[in-house]
């Protein structure tokens, strides 16, 4: 028997749990199967007896969790005979839509807010050859336009209001249960449009309700903790907000589309929403990269920032097993990373043995 099993993406892995027909042409880039990494240094640093795992979604093919939803949404769009997909995006969805569209041989249109897309996301979307429509307005305005345009042009929406996006993204919860043997006690994640918290909750519920298929899995479900940026926190305000602002541009959203689903996840799991300042988010991003060697984008760090605050206050008690989703790769937003490290910028020295020796010995 071969020791090698070729991984071909999450649709093949979880086919039995996805609404996918036998004959569908699967559009995949090998997404999913991302590492669940236990933090080794940060729990010691904060002096708390907790187990924290990060689900590193930045290692998906286009560098974010969006690929999980996009493999399903584009597979379905192609099966339904669609020749073009469209989305509004703060950057990651546009990169994923663009990649899966070109893989499928169809067209992608992406509406992005001018000047508010991280550099890496723009570079990817350009390279995948999507039709970029830059608008003079934010994500929420783009989303409203996308919902209107489908009555005027033959395009399939691949934002997370497309139910197949949620179906694909729920597989992250399956992977976590497969890895840990059970659900964690707490699941922390950043919330923008609120599709992902909806998807995880659906995934946890589905997996834990089919225990005859997986006898080792109990009916345990995690408490869902959703974290937003303070300047873009409709779930904390309890109402939609206009003009959201945050350095974490991925979650610069004031009118989340999965509003009711997300509140349902909060209620059913006895969870909560909370907000973090931009400073707290960036501090968590730096803490994670500087102490664990794991580089995520700013929006992703909201999950860890929130978890650490709630561990500190005891809201998340000691002894807990916590999973934080790191939704996107740190390389997505090099500008914010470099800006954050401006005080540690490297100095240039002479290209001589003496100068290099001095530079090392001065620091040791
Ligand atoms: N983290 C990252 C890195 C994201 O790109 C997003 C959403 C979220 C978290 C929030 O997830 O919307 O399901 O609550 N990005 C979307 C986009 C809006 O267009 O790329 P959510």
């Amino acid at each position: 028997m071969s020791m090698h099993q070729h991984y071909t993406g999450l649709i093949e892995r979880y086919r039995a749990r996805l609404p996918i027909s036998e004959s569908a042409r699967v559009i995949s880039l090998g997404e999913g199967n991302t590492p669940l990494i236990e933090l080794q240094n940060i729990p010691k640093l904060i002096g708390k007896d907790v187990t924290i795992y990060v689900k590193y979604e930045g290692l998906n093919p286009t560098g974010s969790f969006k690929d999980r939803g996009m493999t399903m949404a584009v597979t379905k769009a192609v099966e339904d005979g669609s020749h073009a997909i469209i989305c509004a995006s703060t950057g990651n969805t546009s990169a994923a839509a663009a990649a899966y569209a070109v893989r499928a041989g169809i067209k992608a249109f992406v509406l992005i807010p001018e000047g508010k897309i991280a550099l890496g996301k723009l570079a990817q979307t350009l390279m995948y050859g999507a039709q970029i429509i830059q608008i003079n307005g934010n994500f929420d305005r783009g989303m409203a336009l996308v919902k209107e345009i489908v009555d005027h042009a033959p395009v399939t929406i691949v934002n997370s209001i497309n139910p197949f996006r949620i179906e694909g993204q729920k597989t992250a919860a399956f992977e976590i249960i497969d890895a840990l043997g059970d659900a964690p006690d707490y699941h922390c994640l950043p919330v923008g449009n609120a599709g992902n918290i909806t998807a995880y909750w659906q995934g946890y519920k589905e997996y834990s309700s089919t225990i005859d298929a997986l006898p080792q899995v109990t009916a345990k479900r995690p408490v869902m903790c959703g974290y937003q940026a303070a300047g873009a926190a409709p779930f904390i305000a309890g109402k939609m907000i206009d003009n959201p602002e945050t350095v974490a541009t991925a979650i610069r959203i004031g009118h989340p589309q999965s509003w009711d689903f997300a509140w349902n996840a909060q209620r059913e799991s006895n969870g909560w929403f909370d907000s973090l300042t931009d400073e707290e988010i960036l501090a968590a991003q730096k803490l994670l990269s500087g102490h664990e060697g794991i580089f995520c984008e700013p929006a992703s760090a909201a999950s860890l920032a929130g978890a650490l605050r709630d561990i500190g206050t005891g809201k998340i008690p000691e002894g807990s097993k916590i999973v934080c989703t790191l939704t996107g790769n740190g390389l997505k937003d090099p500008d914010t990373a470099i800006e954050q490290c401006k005080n540690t910028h490297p100095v240039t020295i002479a290209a001589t043995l003496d100068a290099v020796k001095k530079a090392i010995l001065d620091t040791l």
Side-chain angles (χ1 to χ4, degrees), residues 27 38 62 77 84 94 136 140 147 158 160 166 176 202 248 254 263 270 275 305 308 316 329 343 346 356-357 360 362:
I27 311 300
E38 184 177 348
T62 77
S94 66
N136 211 334
D140 299 312
K147 283 159 69 176
V158 294
S160 56
I166 304 296
I176 291 166
Q202 186 178 323
W263 280 113
N270 292 313
S275 66
L308 292 178
I316 295 178
N329 198 296
N343 297 327
V356 174
K357 183 175 153 193
I360 292 170
D362 282 358

Side-chain angles (χ1 to χ4, degrees), residues 68-91:
R68 291 184 185 275
M70 211 53 77
T71 185
M72 275 299 291
V74 175
T75 293
K76 281 289 176 181
V78 168
E79 191 177 18
D80 293 346
S82 177
H83 295 291
I85 58 173
I86 190 165
C87 66
S89 179
T90 57

Side-chain angles (χ1 to χ4, degrees), residues 115-343:
K116 296 294 180 181
I117 300 292
L119 201 63
K121 303 173 188 180
L122 193 58
Q124 293 177 283
T125 309
L126 286 164
M127 286 298 282
Y128 297 134
Q131 196 66 45
I132 298 180
I133 304 169
Q134 200 155 237
I135 60 165
N136 211 334
N138 64 20
F139 170 86
D140 299 312
R141 182 68 196 130
M143 195 64 241
L145 285 166
V146 162
K147 283 159 69 176
E148 274 183 64
I149 200 69
V150 290
D151 294 332
H152 304 271
V155 287
T156 304
I157 300 181
V158 294
N159 281 103
S160 56
I161 56 171
N162 177 328
F164 299 116
R165 279 277 312 277
I166 304 296
E167 290 290 330
Q169 285 171 213
K170 75 183 182 187
T171 60
F174 296 173
E175 288 178 15
I176 291 166
I177 293 173
D178 283 343
L180 299 179
D182 206 343
D185 300 311
Y186 294 85
H187 190 112
C188 304
L189 74 175
V191 174
N193 216 18
N196 213 26
I197 192 168
T198 300
Y200 270 96
W201 185 237
Q202 186 178 323
Y204 280 124
K205 285 202 294 188
E206 284 183 17
Y207 229 40
S208 62
S209 62
T210 54
I211 47 174
D212 39 324
L214 269 171
Q216 79 277 20
V217 175
T218 72
K220 192 170 110 185
R221 294 172 186 178
V223 174
M224 300 299 291
C225 314
Y227 298 103
Q228 302 207 278
F235 284 101
I236 289 79
K239 59 177 171 50
M240 305 293 175
I241 63 155
D242 297 328
N243 307 316
E245 267 316 334
T246 169
V247 69
T249 52
I251 51 172
R252 188 173 168 270
I253 295 172
H255 290 241
Q257 296 297 311
S258 295
W259 181 257
D260 292 336
F261 290 128
W263 280 113
N264 186 58
Q266 176 272 322
R267 261 193 319 272
E268 287 187 353
S269 74
N270 292 313
W272 58 82
F273 293 107
D274 209 343
S275 66
L276 289 304
T277 64
D278 282 358
E279 291 70 29
E280 289 174 304
I281 289 171
L282 293 178
Q285 185 198 18
K286 190 86 204 301
L287 187 77
L288 186 64
S289 54
H291 289 270
E292 302 283 356
I294 302 168
F295 188 23
C296 68
E297 68 171 288
S300 310
S303 61
L304 182 65
L308 292 178
R309 182 207 278 162
D310 289 332
I311 290 164
T313 62
K315 192 172 183 180
I316 295 178
E318 292 208 55
S320 296
K321 192 181 282 185
I322 302 143
V323 172
C324 295
T325 300
L326 302 179
T327 46
N329 198 296
L331 296 170
K332 292 270 192 177
D333 190 352
D335 292 318
T336 306
I338 290 171
E339 170 66 19
Q340 224 198 133
C341 300
K342 62 171 182 266
N343 297 327

Side-chain angles (χ1 to χ4, degrees), residues 34-114:
T34 56
L36 186 66
I37 309 168
E38 184 177 348
L39 300 188
Q40 294 181 338
N41 302 317
I42 292 175
K44 283 185 209 136
L45 204 69
I46 62 173
K48 294 282 185 181
D49 174 25
V50 284
T51 308
I52 308 174
Y53 296 92
V54 293
K55 181 69 171 159
Y56 195 20
E57 290 289 277
L59 291 191
N60 274 295
T62 77
S64 88
F65 73 97
K66 306 288 181 178
D67 296 341
R68 291 184 185 275
M70 211 53 77
T71 185
M72 275 299 291
V74 175
T75 293
K76 281 289 176 181
V78 168
E79 191 177 18
D80 293 346
S82 177
H83 295 291
I85 58 173
I86 190 165
C87 66
S89 179
T90 57
N92 281 324
T93 303
S94 66
Y100 285 79
V102 75
R103 181 84 165 165
I106 62 174
K107 209 162 176 55
F109 295 94
V110 305
L111 264 75
I112 56 170
E114 195 209 346

Side-chain angles (χ1 to χ4, degrees), residues 3 239 361 363:
M3 294 289 288
K239 59 177 171 50
L361 295 182
T363 335

